[in-house]
Each structure stands twice: as C-alpha cells, then as structure tokens.
Amino acid sequence: MQKKVKVAPNSKHPAIKEEPDGSLTVHLKSPLINGKANQELIQLLAKKFEIPKTRIKIKSGLVSRQKLIEIDLN
C-alpha cells in the first residue's frame, strides 16, 4: 500500500491525522535535521499500522515535507 504523507515537524505532540482524500498528515516533534524526522515518521507509522519499522519505506520525498510512503501490510 502506498500513502501520501505531509510532515509537520517541530510539533508539540506527535499525531497522525487521516485526510478525506486518504493521505496522512503527520505531526512530528523532531526537526527536519539529519533524518530525525524521517526516523520518527517511520516509528509512528509502524505503531499505527502495528507492523515492524522495516516494512515501511520512504519511496520519494526523503528531504521534503511531502512524501510517498510504501507500507507492506502482508
């Protein structure tokens, strides 16, 4: 499954919000520095979908706020 994700860094509380179009807005405590936000994003998504972090990959947008995430639910 692929999901479009918009990242909102430097938020007070981490949260995942599903948008009406099926995309996700993810609020992260981490800043967009040295990949910390990407690590936190993968951790939050793994917790939400109850799968190991290794089954989540950032397909595009590694250094952008708009990302395409691939989630292996099998």
Side-chain angles (χ1 to χ4, degrees):
M1 162 175 69
Q2 291 188 348
K3 285 273 189 189
K4 289 183 181 179
V5 175
K6 180 181 177 190
V7 174
N10 300 320
S11 299
K12 287 189 178 187
H13 303 288
I16 299 175
K17 179 182 174 189
E18 188 145 3
E19 301 297 335
D21 66 355
S23 67
L24 299 174
T25 300
V26 182
H27 298 269
L28 304 172
K29 290 180 90 172
S30 300
L32 292 175
I33 298 174
N34 297 330
K36 289 181 182 180
N38 288 336
Q39 292 172 355
E40 185 181 353
L41 172 65
I42 290 173
Q43 184 177 352
L44 284 174
L45 291 174
K47 187 175 179 182
K48 175 181 172 51
F49 292 106
E50 298 176 347
I51 59 173
K53 293 185 284 188
T54 56
R55 294 171 66 185
I56 298 173
K57 292 186 174 54
I58 300 174
K59 296 286 282 181
S60 66
L62 199 59
V63 294
S64 171
R65 290 176 192 244
Q66 301 285 339
K67 302 180 184 299
L68 182 62
I69 306 293
E70 185 172 315
I71 302 167
D72 181 10
L73 296 175
N74 294 332

Short mmCIF file of all heavy atoms in Angstrom, two decimals:
data_model
loop_
_atom_site.label_atom_id
_atom_site.label_comp_id
_atom_site.label_asym_id
_atom_site.label_seq_id
_atom_site.Cartn_x
_atom_site.Cartn_y
_atom_site.Cartn_z
N MET A 1 0.85 -1.16 0.00
CA MET A 1 0.00 0.00 0.00
C MET A 1 0.90 1.23 0.00
O MET A 1 1.92 1.27 0.68
CB MET A 1 -0.89 -0.03 1.25
CG MET A 1 -1.50 1.29 1.61
SD MET A 1 -2.65 1.26 2.99
CE MET A 1 -1.60 0.93 4.36
N GLN A 2 0.50 2.25 -0.77
CA GLN A 2 1.24 3.50 -0.79
C GLN A 2 0.36 4.61 -0.24
O GLN A 2 -0.83 4.64 -0.49
CB GLN A 2 1.69 3.84 -2.20
CG GLN A 2 2.76 2.91 -2.71
CD GLN A 2 3.34 3.38 -4.03
OE1 GLN A 2 2.83 4.27 -4.66
NE2 GLN A 2 4.43 2.74 -4.43
N LYS A 3 0.98 5.49 0.53
CA LYS A 3 0.26 6.62 1.14
C LYS A 3 1.03 7.89 0.88
O LYS A 3 2.26 7.92 0.99
CB LYS A 3 0.15 6.45 2.66
CG LYS A 3 -0.85 5.44 3.12
CD LYS A 3 -2.19 6.09 3.24
CE LYS A 3 -3.18 5.15 3.91
NZ LYS A 3 -4.51 5.65 3.87
N LYS A 4 0.31 8.95 0.56
CA LYS A 4 0.91 10.27 0.51
C LYS A 4 0.90 10.82 1.92
O LYS A 4 -0.10 10.73 2.62
CB LYS A 4 0.12 11.19 -0.42
CG LYS A 4 0.28 10.83 -1.88
CD LYS A 4 -0.45 11.82 -2.75
CE LYS A 4 -0.32 11.44 -4.20
NZ LYS A 4 -1.02 12.36 -5.09
N VAL A 5 2.03 11.39 2.33
CA VAL A 5 2.17 11.87 3.70
C VAL A 5 2.71 13.29 3.67
O VAL A 5 3.68 13.59 2.97
CB VAL A 5 3.14 10.96 4.51
CG1 VAL A 5 3.39 11.53 5.88
CG2 VAL A 5 2.58 9.55 4.60
N LYS A 6 2.07 14.16 4.43
CA LYS A 6 2.57 15.52 4.65
C LYS A 6 3.11 15.56 6.07
O LYS A 6 2.42 15.21 7.02
CB LYS A 6 1.46 16.54 4.48
CG LYS A 6 1.94 17.96 4.68
CD LYS A 6 0.82 18.95 4.53
CE LYS A 6 1.32 20.35 4.82
NZ LYS A 6 0.22 21.31 4.92
N VAL A 7 4.36 15.99 6.22
CA VAL A 7 5.02 16.03 7.51
C VAL A 7 4.98 17.45 8.07
O VAL A 7 5.27 18.41 7.36
CB VAL A 7 6.48 15.54 7.37
CG1 VAL A 7 7.23 15.70 8.67
CG2 VAL A 7 6.51 14.10 6.91
N ALA A 8 4.61 17.56 9.35
CA ALA A 8 4.63 18.83 10.06
C ALA A 8 5.62 18.69 11.22
O ALA A 8 5.27 18.17 12.28
CB ALA A 8 3.24 19.18 10.57
N PRO A 9 6.88 19.12 11.02
CA PRO A 9 7.90 18.96 12.06
C PRO A 9 7.74 19.99 13.18
O PRO A 9 6.98 20.95 13.05
CB PRO A 9 9.20 19.19 11.30
CG PRO A 9 8.81 20.10 10.19
CD PRO A 9 7.41 19.73 9.81
N ASN A 10 8.47 19.77 14.26
CA ASN A 10 8.52 20.68 15.41
C ASN A 10 7.17 20.90 16.06
O ASN A 10 6.89 21.99 16.58
CB ASN A 10 9.15 22.03 15.01
CG ASN A 10 10.56 21.88 14.50
OD1 ASN A 10 11.33 21.10 15.04
ND2 ASN A 10 10.88 22.58 13.44
N SER A 11 6.32 19.89 16.06
CA SER A 11 5.01 19.98 16.72
C SER A 11 5.17 19.65 18.20
O SER A 11 6.09 18.95 18.59
CB SER A 11 4.02 19.01 16.08
OG SER A 11 3.84 19.31 14.72
N LYS A 12 4.25 20.15 19.01
CA LYS A 12 4.33 19.86 20.45
C LYS A 12 4.01 18.41 20.75
O LYS A 12 4.62 17.81 21.63
CB LYS A 12 3.36 20.77 21.22
CG LYS A 12 3.82 22.19 21.29
CD LYS A 12 2.97 22.99 22.22
CE LYS A 12 3.50 24.41 22.30
NZ LYS A 12 2.82 25.20 23.30
N HIS A 13 3.04 17.83 20.05
CA HIS A 13 2.63 16.46 20.29
C HIS A 13 2.60 15.69 18.97
O HIS A 13 2.00 16.15 18.01
CB HIS A 13 1.24 16.41 20.92
CG HIS A 13 1.13 17.19 22.19
ND1 HIS A 13 1.71 16.79 23.36
CD2 HIS A 13 0.53 18.37 22.47
CE1 HIS A 13 1.47 17.67 24.30
NE2 HIS A 13 0.76 18.65 23.78
N PRO A 14 3.22 14.50 18.93
CA PRO A 14 3.16 13.70 17.71
C PRO A 14 1.73 13.20 17.49
O PRO A 14 1.05 12.81 18.44
CB PRO A 14 4.12 12.55 17.97
CG PRO A 14 4.46 12.58 19.40
CD PRO A 14 4.05 13.90 19.96
N ALA A 15 1.29 13.25 16.24
CA ALA A 15 -0.06 12.79 15.91
C ALA A 15 -0.14 12.45 14.43
O ALA A 15 0.61 12.98 13.62
CB ALA A 15 -1.07 13.87 16.25
N ILE A 16 -1.08 11.56 14.11
CA ILE A 16 -1.34 11.19 12.72
C ILE A 16 -2.80 11.50 12.43
O ILE A 16 -3.69 11.04 13.16
CB ILE A 16 -1.06 9.69 12.46
CG1 ILE A 16 0.41 9.39 12.74
CG2 ILE A 16 -1.43 9.32 11.04
CD1 ILE A 16 0.76 7.91 12.64
N LYS A 17 -3.03 12.28 11.38
CA LYS A 17 -4.38 12.66 11.00
C LYS A 17 -4.65 12.17 9.59
O LYS A 17 -3.86 12.45 8.68
CB LYS A 17 -4.53 14.18 11.07
CG LYS A 17 -5.88 14.68 10.67
CD LYS A 17 -5.93 16.19 10.73
CE LYS A 17 -7.25 16.69 10.20
NZ LYS A 17 -7.26 18.15 10.03
N GLU A 18 -5.73 11.43 9.40
CA GLU A 18 -6.10 10.95 8.07
C GLU A 18 -6.97 12.00 7.40
O GLU A 18 -7.97 12.45 7.95
CB GLU A 18 -6.82 9.61 8.14
CG GLU A 18 -7.03 9.01 6.78
CD GLU A 18 -6.93 7.51 6.76
OE1 GLU A 18 -6.75 6.90 7.83
OE2 GLU A 18 -7.04 6.95 5.67
N GLU A 19 -6.59 12.39 6.19
CA GLU A 19 -7.32 13.41 5.43
C GLU A 19 -8.43 12.74 4.62
O GLU A 19 -8.38 11.53 4.37
CB GLU A 19 -6.35 14.16 4.50
CG GLU A 19 -5.21 14.86 5.22
CD GLU A 19 -5.66 15.95 6.17
OE1 GLU A 19 -6.75 16.52 5.97
OE2 GLU A 19 -4.92 16.24 7.13
N PRO A 20 -9.44 13.51 4.19
CA PRO A 20 -10.55 12.94 3.41
C PRO A 20 -10.10 12.26 2.11
O PRO A 20 -10.75 11.32 1.65
CB PRO A 20 -11.43 14.16 3.10
CG PRO A 20 -11.10 15.15 4.15
CD PRO A 20 -9.67 14.91 4.52
N ASP A 21 -8.99 12.71 1.52
CA ASP A 21 -8.51 12.10 0.27
C ASP A 21 -7.69 10.83 0.50
O ASP A 21 -7.18 10.24 -0.44
CB ASP A 21 -7.71 13.12 -0.54
CG ASP A 21 -6.41 13.53 0.15
OD1 ASP A 21 -6.16 13.11 1.29
OD2 ASP A 21 -5.66 14.31 -0.48
N GLY A 22 -7.55 10.39 1.75
CA GLY A 22 -6.81 9.17 2.07
C GLY A 22 -5.35 9.41 2.43
O GLY A 22 -4.67 8.49 2.87
N SER A 23 -4.87 10.62 2.23
CA SER A 23 -3.49 10.92 2.60
C SER A 23 -3.40 11.12 4.11
O SER A 23 -4.42 11.20 4.79
CB SER A 23 -2.99 12.16 1.86
OG SER A 23 -3.69 13.30 2.30
N LEU A 24 -2.18 11.21 4.61
CA LEU A 24 -1.96 11.39 6.04
C LEU A 24 -1.20 12.69 6.29
O LEU A 24 -0.31 13.05 5.52
CB LEU A 24 -1.13 10.23 6.61
CG LEU A 24 -1.71 8.83 6.50
CD1 LEU A 24 -0.68 7.81 6.97
CD2 LEU A 24 -2.98 8.70 7.29
N THR A 25 -1.55 13.36 7.37
CA THR A 25 -0.76 14.47 7.88
C THR A 25 -0.17 14.00 9.20
O THR A 25 -0.91 13.58 10.09
CB THR A 25 -1.61 15.74 8.10
OG1 THR A 25 -2.18 16.12 6.85
CG2 THR A 25 -0.77 16.87 8.64
N VAL A 26 1.15 14.02 9.30
CA VAL A 26 1.82 13.50 10.48
C VAL A 26 2.56 14.64 11.17
O VAL A 26 3.42 15.29 10.58
CB VAL A 26 2.81 12.37 10.12
CG1 VAL A 26 3.46 11.81 11.37
CG2 VAL A 26 2.09 11.26 9.37
N HIS A 27 2.19 14.91 12.41
CA HIS A 27 2.84 15.93 13.23
C HIS A 27 3.96 15.25 14.02
O HIS A 27 3.72 14.28 14.74
CB HIS A 27 1.83 16.57 14.19
CG HIS A 27 0.73 17.28 13.47
ND1 HIS A 27 0.80 18.60 13.13
CD2 HIS A 27 -0.45 16.83 12.99
CE1 HIS A 27 -0.29 18.95 12.50
NE2 HIS A 27 -1.07 17.88 12.39
N LEU A 28 5.18 15.77 13.86
CA LEU A 28 6.36 15.19 14.49
C LEU A 28 7.00 16.17 15.45
O LEU A 28 6.99 17.38 15.21
CB LEU A 28 7.39 14.82 13.42
CG LEU A 28 6.94 13.88 12.31
CD1 LEU A 28 8.01 13.77 11.25
CD2 LEU A 28 6.60 12.52 12.87
N LYS A 29 7.56 15.66 16.54
CA LYS A 29 8.30 16.51 17.49
C LYS A 29 9.68 16.86 16.93
O LYS A 29 10.21 17.92 17.22
CB LYS A 29 8.44 15.80 18.83
CG LYS A 29 7.14 15.67 19.59
CD LYS A 29 7.34 14.97 20.91
CE LYS A 29 7.66 15.99 21.98
NZ LYS A 29 7.68 15.42 23.32
N SER A 30 10.24 15.97 16.12
CA SER A 30 11.60 16.14 15.61
C SER A 30 11.68 17.22 14.54
O SER A 30 10.74 17.42 13.79
CB SER A 30 12.09 14.82 14.99
OG SER A 30 12.09 13.80 15.94
N PRO A 31 12.83 17.88 14.46
CA PRO A 31 13.05 18.84 13.37
C PRO A 31 13.48 18.12 12.09
O PRO A 31 13.83 16.94 12.13
CB PRO A 31 14.19 19.71 13.91
CG PRO A 31 14.94 18.80 14.80
CD PRO A 31 13.91 17.88 15.41
N LEU A 32 13.46 18.83 10.98
CA LEU A 32 13.90 18.25 9.70
C LEU A 32 15.42 18.34 9.57
O LEU A 32 15.94 18.90 8.63
CB LEU A 32 13.23 19.00 8.54
CG LEU A 32 11.72 18.84 8.40
CD1 LEU A 32 11.19 19.73 7.30
CD2 LEU A 32 11.36 17.40 8.13
N ILE A 33 16.13 17.77 10.52
CA ILE A 33 17.59 17.83 10.52
C ILE A 33 18.15 16.42 10.67
O ILE A 33 17.71 15.66 11.52
CB ILE A 33 18.10 18.72 11.69
CG1 ILE A 33 17.59 20.14 11.51
CG2 ILE A 33 19.62 18.70 11.75
CD1 ILE A 33 17.90 21.05 12.67
N ASN A 34 19.11 16.08 9.81
CA ASN A 34 19.85 14.81 9.89
C ASN A 34 18.95 13.57 9.88
O ASN A 34 19.26 12.56 10.50
CB ASN A 34 20.74 14.77 11.13
CG ASN A 34 21.81 15.84 11.10
OD1 ASN A 34 22.27 16.23 10.03
ND2 ASN A 34 22.19 16.32 12.26
N GLY A 35 17.80 13.64 9.23
CA GLY A 35 16.93 12.48 9.11
C GLY A 35 16.16 12.12 10.36
O GLY A 35 15.51 11.08 10.40
N LYS A 36 16.19 12.96 11.39
CA LYS A 36 15.48 12.64 12.63
C LYS A 36 13.97 12.58 12.41
O LYS A 36 13.29 11.73 12.97
CB LYS A 36 15.81 13.67 13.71
CG LYS A 36 17.21 13.57 14.23
CD LYS A 36 17.48 14.58 15.31
CE LYS A 36 18.92 14.47 15.78
NZ LYS A 36 19.23 15.44 16.82
N ALA A 37 13.45 13.48 11.59
CA ALA A 37 12.01 13.49 11.32
C ALA A 37 11.60 12.23 10.56
O ALA A 37 10.55 11.65 10.84
CB ALA A 37 11.62 14.74 10.54
N ASN A 38 12.43 11.78 9.62
CA ASN A 38 12.12 10.55 8.87
C ASN A 38 12.09 9.34 9.80
O ASN A 38 11.24 8.47 9.68
CB ASN A 38 13.13 10.33 7.74
CG ASN A 38 12.93 11.31 6.61
OD1 ASN A 38 11.85 11.85 6.42
ND2 ASN A 38 13.99 11.54 5.85
N GLN A 39 13.03 9.28 10.73
CA GLN A 39 13.06 8.17 11.69
C GLN A 39 11.81 8.17 12.56
O GLN A 39 11.20 7.13 12.79
CB GLN A 39 14.31 8.25 12.56
CG GLN A 39 15.59 8.00 11.82
CD GLN A 39 16.82 8.27 12.67
OE1 GLN A 39 16.73 8.73 13.80
NE2 GLN A 39 17.99 7.98 12.11
N GLU A 40 11.43 9.36 13.05
CA GLU A 40 10.23 9.45 13.88
C GLU A 40 8.98 9.12 13.07
O GLU A 40 8.07 8.46 13.57
CB GLU A 40 10.10 10.85 14.49
CG GLU A 40 8.94 10.96 15.46
CD GLU A 40 8.77 12.34 16.07
OE1 GLU A 40 9.62 13.22 15.86
OE2 GLU A 40 7.75 12.53 16.75
N LEU A 41 8.94 9.55 11.81
CA LEU A 41 7.80 9.25 10.94
C LEU A 41 7.62 7.74 10.78
O LEU A 41 6.52 7.22 10.97
CB LEU A 41 8.01 9.90 9.57
CG LEU A 41 7.01 9.52 8.48
CD1 LEU A 41 5.62 10.02 8.83
CD2 LEU A 41 7.45 10.07 7.14
N ILE A 42 8.69 7.04 10.48
CA ILE A 42 8.61 5.58 10.31
C ILE A 42 8.19 4.92 11.61
O ILE A 42 7.37 4.00 11.62
CB ILE A 42 9.96 5.03 9.79
CG1 ILE A 42 10.14 5.48 8.34
CG2 ILE A 42 10.02 3.51 9.92
CD1 ILE A 42 11.48 5.17 7.75
N GLN A 43 8.70 5.40 12.73
CA GLN A 43 8.34 4.83 14.04
C GLN A 43 6.84 5.01 14.32
O GLN A 43 6.16 4.08 14.76
CB GLN A 43 9.17 5.50 15.12
CG GLN A 43 8.95 4.94 16.49
CD GLN A 43 9.87 5.60 17.52
OE1 GLN A 43 10.76 6.36 17.19
NE2 GLN A 43 9.63 5.29 18.78
N LEU A 44 6.31 6.21 14.07
CA LEU A 44 4.88 6.47 14.31
C LEU A 44 3.99 5.64 13.39
O LEU A 44 2.97 5.09 13.82
CB LEU A 44 4.57 7.96 14.12
CG LEU A 44 4.99 8.89 15.23
CD1 LEU A 44 4.75 10.34 14.83
CD2 LEU A 44 4.22 8.59 16.50
N LEU A 45 4.37 5.54 12.11
CA LEU A 45 3.56 4.76 11.17
C LEU A 45 3.58 3.26 11.52
O LEU A 45 2.56 2.58 11.42
CB LEU A 45 4.05 4.98 9.74
CG LEU A 45 3.79 6.37 9.16
CD1 LEU A 45 4.44 6.50 7.80
CD2 LEU A 45 2.30 6.66 9.08
N ALA A 46 4.74 2.77 11.97
CA ALA A 46 4.84 1.36 12.37
C ALA A 46 3.91 1.09 13.56
O ALA A 46 3.24 0.06 13.62
CB ALA A 46 6.28 1.02 12.72
N LYS A 47 3.86 2.02 14.48
CA LYS A 47 2.99 1.87 15.64
C LYS A 47 1.52 1.92 15.23
O LYS A 47 0.71 1.12 15.68
CB LYS A 47 3.30 2.97 16.66
CG LYS A 47 2.59 2.82 17.97
CD LYS A 47 3.06 3.88 18.95
CE LYS A 47 2.33 3.75 20.27
NZ LYS A 47 2.73 4.79 21.22
N LYS A 48 1.17 2.85 14.33
CA LYS A 48 -0.22 3.00 13.88
C LYS A 48 -0.71 1.73 13.17
O LYS A 48 -1.80 1.25 13.41
CB LYS A 48 -0.37 4.20 12.95
CG LYS A 48 -1.78 4.33 12.35
CD LYS A 48 -1.89 5.50 11.42
CE LYS A 48 -3.18 5.57 10.67
NZ LYS A 48 -4.39 5.47 11.42
N PHE A 49 0.11 1.21 12.25
CA PHE A 49 -0.30 0.05 11.46
C PHE A 49 0.08 -1.28 12.12
O PHE A 49 -0.19 -2.35 11.57
CB PHE A 49 0.29 0.13 10.05
CG PHE A 49 -0.29 1.24 9.23
CD1 PHE A 49 0.43 2.38 8.97
CD2 PHE A 49 -1.59 1.14 8.73
CE1 PHE A 49 -0.10 3.42 8.22
CE2 PHE A 49 -2.13 2.17 7.97
CZ PHE A 49 -1.39 3.31 7.71
N GLU A 50 0.73 -1.21 13.29
CA GLU A 50 1.13 -2.39 14.07
C GLU A 50 1.96 -3.37 13.26
O GLU A 50 1.67 -4.57 13.18
CB GLU A 50 -0.12 -3.09 14.65
CG GLU A 50 -0.91 -2.20 15.59
CD GLU A 50 -2.19 -2.84 16.09
OE1 GLU A 50 -2.61 -3.87 15.54
OE2 GLU A 50 -2.76 -2.29 17.04
N ILE A 51 3.01 -2.83 12.64
CA ILE A 51 3.94 -3.63 11.86
C ILE A 51 5.36 -3.22 12.23
O ILE A 51 5.57 -2.14 12.79
CB ILE A 51 3.72 -3.46 10.33
CG1 ILE A 51 3.89 -2.00 9.92
CG2 ILE A 51 2.37 -4.01 9.90
CD1 ILE A 51 3.85 -1.76 8.43
N PRO A 52 6.36 -4.04 11.90
CA PRO A 52 7.75 -3.65 12.17
C PRO A 52 8.18 -2.46 11.31
O PRO A 52 7.69 -2.29 10.18
CB PRO A 52 8.56 -4.89 11.79
CG PRO A 52 7.59 -6.00 11.69
CD PRO A 52 6.25 -5.40 11.41
N LYS A 53 9.10 -1.66 11.82
CA LYS A 53 9.59 -0.48 11.10
C LYS A 53 10.24 -0.86 9.77
O LYS A 53 10.23 -0.07 8.83
CB LYS A 53 10.60 0.29 11.96
CG LYS A 53 9.98 0.92 13.17
CD LYS A 53 10.99 1.76 13.92
CE LYS A 53 11.94 0.90 14.69
NZ LYS A 53 12.83 1.66 15.58
N THR A 54 10.78 -2.07 9.67
CA THR A 54 11.46 -2.50 8.45
C THR A 54 10.50 -2.67 7.28
O THR A 54 10.95 -2.78 6.14
CB THR A 54 12.21 -3.82 8.69
OG1 THR A 54 11.29 -4.80 9.16
CG2 THR A 54 13.33 -3.62 9.69
N ARG A 55 9.21 -2.69 7.53
CA ARG A 55 8.21 -2.87 6.46
C ARG A 55 7.65 -1.54 5.96
O ARG A 55 6.69 -1.52 5.20
CB ARG A 55 7.10 -3.79 6.95
CG ARG A 55 7.67 -5.21 7.20
CD ARG A 55 6.74 -6.13 7.89
NE ARG A 55 5.60 -6.45 7.07
CZ ARG A 55 4.58 -7.18 7.51
NH1 ARG A 55 4.58 -7.64 8.73
NH2 ARG A 55 3.56 -7.43 6.73
N ILE A 56 8.29 -0.45 6.35
CA ILE A 56 7.88 0.89 5.90
C ILE A 56 9.06 1.54 5.20
O ILE A 56 10.16 1.57 5.75
CB ILE A 56 7.41 1.75 7.08
CG1 ILE A 56 6.19 1.11 7.74
CG2 ILE A 56 7.11 3.18 6.62
CD1 ILE A 56 5.74 1.79 9.00
N LYS A 57 8.84 2.03 3.98
CA LYS A 57 9.91 2.66 3.21
C LYS A 57 9.43 4.00 2.67
O LYS A 57 8.28 4.15 2.27
CB LYS A 57 10.30 1.77 2.03
CG LYS A 57 10.98 0.49 2.45
CD LYS A 57 11.48 -0.28 1.24
CE LYS A 57 12.29 -1.48 1.58
NZ LYS A 57 11.73 -2.44 2.45
N ILE A 58 10.33 4.96 2.66
CA ILE A 58 10.05 6.26 2.04
C ILE A 58 10.46 6.15 0.58
O ILE A 58 11.63 6.04 0.25
CB ILE A 58 10.82 7.39 2.75
CG1 ILE A 58 10.41 7.45 4.22
CG2 ILE A 58 10.58 8.72 2.05
CD1 ILE A 58 11.20 8.43 5.06
N LYS A 59 9.46 6.13 -0.31
CA LYS A 59 9.70 5.96 -1.75
C LYS A 59 10.21 7.25 -2.38
O LYS A 59 11.07 7.22 -3.24
CB LYS A 59 8.42 5.51 -2.46
CG LYS A 59 7.91 4.16 -2.03
CD LYS A 59 8.75 3.05 -2.57
CE LYS A 59 8.41 2.82 -4.02
NZ LYS A 59 9.14 1.75 -4.64
N SER A 60 9.62 8.39 -2.00
CA SER A 60 10.07 9.68 -2.53
C SER A 60 9.83 10.76 -1.49
O SER A 60 9.01 10.61 -0.60
CB SER A 60 9.35 10.02 -3.84
OG SER A 60 7.99 10.23 -3.61
N GLY A 61 10.57 11.85 -1.63
CA GLY A 61 10.43 12.96 -0.70
C GLY A 61 11.28 12.84 0.53
O GLY A 61 10.93 13.34 1.59
N LEU A 62 12.43 12.20 0.41
CA LEU A 62 13.30 11.97 1.56
C LEU A 62 13.69 13.27 2.27
O LEU A 62 13.79 13.30 3.49
CB LEU A 62 14.55 11.22 1.11
CG LEU A 62 15.35 10.51 2.18
CD1 LEU A 62 14.51 9.47 2.91
CD2 LEU A 62 16.56 9.85 1.58
N VAL A 63 13.85 14.36 1.52
CA VAL A 63 14.22 15.64 2.12
C VAL A 63 13.12 16.68 1.95
O VAL A 63 13.37 17.88 2.00
CB VAL A 63 15.56 16.16 1.54
CG1 VAL A 63 16.70 15.26 1.95
CG2 VAL A 63 15.49 16.31 0.05
N SER A 64 11.89 16.22 1.76
CA SER A 64 10.75 17.11 1.54
C SER A 64 9.70 16.88 2.62
O SER A 64 9.68 15.84 3.27
CB SER A 64 10.16 16.82 0.16
OG SER A 64 8.95 17.50 -0.01
N ARG A 65 8.79 17.83 2.77
CA ARG A 65 7.67 17.65 3.70
C ARG A 65 6.59 16.76 3.09
O ARG A 65 5.80 16.17 3.81
CB ARG A 65 7.08 19.00 4.08
CG ARG A 65 7.99 19.82 4.95
CD ARG A 65 7.40 21.18 5.22
NE ARG A 65 8.39 22.04 5.81
CZ ARG A 65 8.30 22.54 7.03
NH1 ARG A 65 7.26 22.28 7.77
NH2 ARG A 65 9.24 23.32 7.50
N GLN A 66 6.55 16.70 1.76
CA GLN A 66 5.60 15.83 1.05
C GLN A 66 6.32 14.53 0.71
O GLN A 66 7.34 14.55 0.02
CB GLN A 66 5.11 16.50 -0.24
CG GLN A 66 4.42 17.82 -0.03
CD GLN A 66 3.02 17.67 0.54
OE1 GLN A 66 2.39 16.62 0.44
NE2 GLN A 66 2.53 18.72 1.17
N LYS A 67 5.80 13.41 1.20
CA LYS A 67 6.46 12.14 1.00
C LYS A 67 5.50 11.10 0.44
O LYS A 67 4.30 11.19 0.62
CB LYS A 67 7.02 11.62 2.32
CG LYS A 67 8.00 12.58 2.97
CD LYS A 67 8.52 12.04 4.28
CE LYS A 67 9.42 13.03 4.97
NZ LYS A 67 10.61 13.41 4.25
N LEU A 68 6.06 10.11 -0.24
CA LEU A 68 5.30 8.95 -0.67
C LEU A 68 5.87 7.77 0.11
O LEU A 68 7.06 7.46 0.01
CB LEU A 68 5.42 8.72 -2.18
CG LEU A 68 4.64 7.55 -2.73
CD1 LEU A 68 3.13 7.75 -2.51
CD2 LEU A 68 4.92 7.35 -4.20
N ILE A 69 5.02 7.14 0.90
CA ILE A 69 5.44 6.06 1.79
C ILE A 69 4.87 4.74 1.29
O ILE A 69 3.69 4.67 0.92
CB ILE A 69 4.92 6.30 3.23
CG1 ILE A 69 5.34 7.68 3.74
CG2 ILE A 69 5.35 5.21 4.18
CD1 ILE A 69 6.82 7.85 3.95
N GLU A 70 5.70 3.70 1.28
CA GLU A 70 5.23 2.36 0.94
C GLU A 70 5.16 1.54 2.22
O GLU A 70 6.14 1.43 2.96
CB GLU A 70 6.15 1.69 -0.07
CG GLU A 70 5.61 0.35 -0.52
CD GLU A 70 6.41 -0.24 -1.66
OE1 GLU A 70 6.72 0.49 -2.61
OE2 GLU A 70 6.73 -1.43 -1.58
N ILE A 71 3.98 0.95 2.47
CA ILE A 71 3.75 0.17 3.69
C ILE A 71 3.42 -1.25 3.28
O ILE A 71 2.46 -1.47 2.53
CB ILE A 71 2.61 0.79 4.52
CG1 ILE A 71 2.95 2.23 4.86
CG2 ILE A 71 2.36 -0.03 5.78
CD1 ILE A 71 1.79 3.03 5.39
N ASP A 72 4.20 -2.21 3.76
CA ASP A 72 3.98 -3.63 3.46
C ASP A 72 3.18 -4.24 4.59
O ASP A 72 3.71 -4.51 5.67
CB ASP A 72 5.32 -4.33 3.31
CG ASP A 72 5.18 -5.81 2.98
OD1 ASP A 72 4.05 -6.26 2.68
OD2 ASP A 72 6.21 -6.51 3.02
N LEU A 73 1.87 -4.44 4.37
CA LEU A 73 1.00 -4.97 5.41
C LEU A 73 0.92 -6.49 5.41
O LEU A 73 0.28 -7.06 6.29
CB LEU A 73 -0.41 -4.38 5.25
CG LEU A 73 -0.53 -2.88 5.43
CD1 LEU A 73 -1.94 -2.41 5.13
CD2 LEU A 73 -0.14 -2.47 6.82
N ASN A 74 1.56 -7.14 4.44
CA ASN A 74 1.46 -8.61 4.36
C ASN A 74 2.37 -9.28 5.33
O ASN A 74 3.41 -9.29 5.54
CB ASN A 74 1.76 -9.08 2.93
CG ASN A 74 0.69 -8.58 2.00
OD1 ASN A 74 -0.44 -8.37 2.39
ND2 ASN A 74 1.06 -8.36 0.75
#
